[in-house]
Amino acid sequence: MFSWFREIDATERKTFWACFGGWALDALDVQLFSLVIPTLLALWHISKADAGMITSVTLIASALGGWVGGAISDRIGRVRALQVMILWFALATFASAFAQDYNQLLVLKALQGLGFGGEWAAGVALMSEAIRPSHRGKALGTVQSAWAVGWGASVLIQTSIYSFVPPEIAWRLLFGLGLIPAILVIFVRRHVPEPEASPARAPKAQQARTPLLGIFSPDVLRVTLVGLLLGTGAHGGYYAVTSWLPTYLKTERHLSTLGTGAYLAVIIVAFFFGCIAAAHLLDRIGRRRTVGLFALSCVIVVLAYVFLPIGDTAMLILGFPLGFCSAGIPASMGALFSELYPGGIRGTGVGFCYNAGRIVSAIFPFLVGHLSEQMSLGAAIGIDAAVAYGLVVVAVLMLPETKAVKLDAVDAPGAPAGAGVRSSAPAQ
C-alpha cells in the first residue's frame, strides 16, 4: 500500500511529512469547534443557527485565505508561505481560548479561517511540485488523510479533557492547545527546500505579475468556474455532516460524550482509509472517475445514515462507509486542481478552487441549523448533504482528465496560460 514511499527521495519525504503534519495540526485546530458546540449552546444560550453561523463565517474566511494564500505562495514561494499560514492559524486558535462572548469568538474564528485556507493552498502547491508525477496522486491523497489524524486527535483530547475538567473551562483548554502547530514551522524552516518547479525560482521576467487575478484570464476561466462548483459541492456536503454530527449524536441519538467519541472514532478511522483508497485510485483510474465514484457513494451513504430507522449498533457500523466515502473527494481535489493550472498561477488556482467554494458552501452548515428548527436535525443534514454532493457529480463531468501530467514552473514564453499543463503527455 505504501511501497511508493520507498521510491521517493529524501527531499520528497521531508516535504511530504511537513505537509502531512501541517494538515493534521490544521484539522486538530479546526475540528475543535464542532466538538464544543454543545457546550457553547448551553453556556452562552445561543441558538443552533448562531453556532452554524460561526462555522459559515470561518469557511468564508478560509476561502479568502486560500485564494490570497495561494497567490502569496506564487509570489514568495511555497515554503515561506506555508510557514506564515501555519503560524497564523495557530495563533488565531490559541486566541479563541480567551473569547468572552459570541461576537469575539466569531471574529477569532474568522481569523483562524484565513490561515486555515492559506495553509492548504500553499501545502498542495508545494507537494504537487515536489513529488514526481507518477506518485503525485498517491502523495497528495495520503497527505489529505492527515485530516483524519488531526480530527481523531481532537476527539481524543476533547473526550479526555471533558472527563476531568468542567465544560466551562474545558472548551478553553481545547482552543489553548491550538498553539501546538507553531512548532512545525521549525521543521519546515530547517528541512524543506523550495521545489525546482516553484514559480518563485523561475526567472523574474517569467513570473506571474498578477497571480491573484490570473485565474480569471479567458484561457483558464472555465476551469476556475467549474472548480468553484466542485469545491462548493465538496465542502458543502462535508461540512453539512461534520459540523453537526457531534450535536446530532448527542441531541437526537442521546449519546454521552464517551459514546459520541466512539461513533466519531469509527468515522474518523474510515476517513483515513478512504483517503488512502482515493490516493491509489487517483493514479490508477484517474482523477475524474475517482471523484465521481466517491460523490455518488456519499449521497447514498449519508441519506442511509440519517434516514434509515436503525439502532445504535447499526449506526456505529454504518459510520465506517460514511467516513470512508466522505474522504474520497477532498483527497482527490489537491491533485486535480494543481494539474489544471500553470506554475505562475498554480497556488492561486488551487487555493481558489478548493477554498472559494467555501464562500458558497458556507450556507450549508447554516441551513442545517436553520432547517433543524422546522424538521429533525438528521433530516436537515441529509437533505443538505445530498444536494451538495450532487453538485460534485455535475462539476466533475465538465473537467478534463489530468492524470500524471508533468508540471512546469511557468508556461513557455508566448504560450497561453495553462496550455502546457492541460496538454502535457503523462509522465512515466
Side-chain angles (χ1 to χ4, degrees), residues 266-289:
V266 171
I267 294 174
I268 292 167
V269 170
F271 186 93
F272 176 86
F273 285 106
C275 286
I276 301 301
H280 284 76
L281 287 173
L282 285 169
D283 286 334
R284 183 176 293 273
I285 68 174
R287 290 30 171 162
R288 297 173 71 246
R289 290 180 179 176

Side-chain angles (χ1 to χ4, degrees), residues 81-166:
L82 183 64
Q83 295 173 50
V84 171
M85 296 304 167
I86 290 175
L87 285 174
W88 184 287
F89 78 72
L91 291 173
T93 305
F94 178 74
S96 298
F98 302 96
Q100 298 301 305
D101 56 34
Y102 174 83
N103 290 329
Q104 289 182 16
L105 185 61
L106 185 68
V107 172
L108 290 169
K109 288 291 292 179
L111 291 175
Q112 182 202 47
L114 291 173
F116 165 47
E119 188 274 339
W120 189 90
V124 166
L126 173 61
M127 279 288 295
S128 66
E129 293 168 350
I131 302 296
R132 61 195 68 185
S134 59
H135 295 317
R136 186 184 301 127
K138 291 185 284 291
L140 283 166
T142 303
V143 163
Q144 193 70 32
S145 72
W147 186 268
V149 175
W151 187 8
S154 70
V155 173
L156 290 175
I157 293 172
Q158 185 260 358
T159 302
S160 300
I161 291 180
Y162 269 66
S163 298
F164 298 101
V165 180

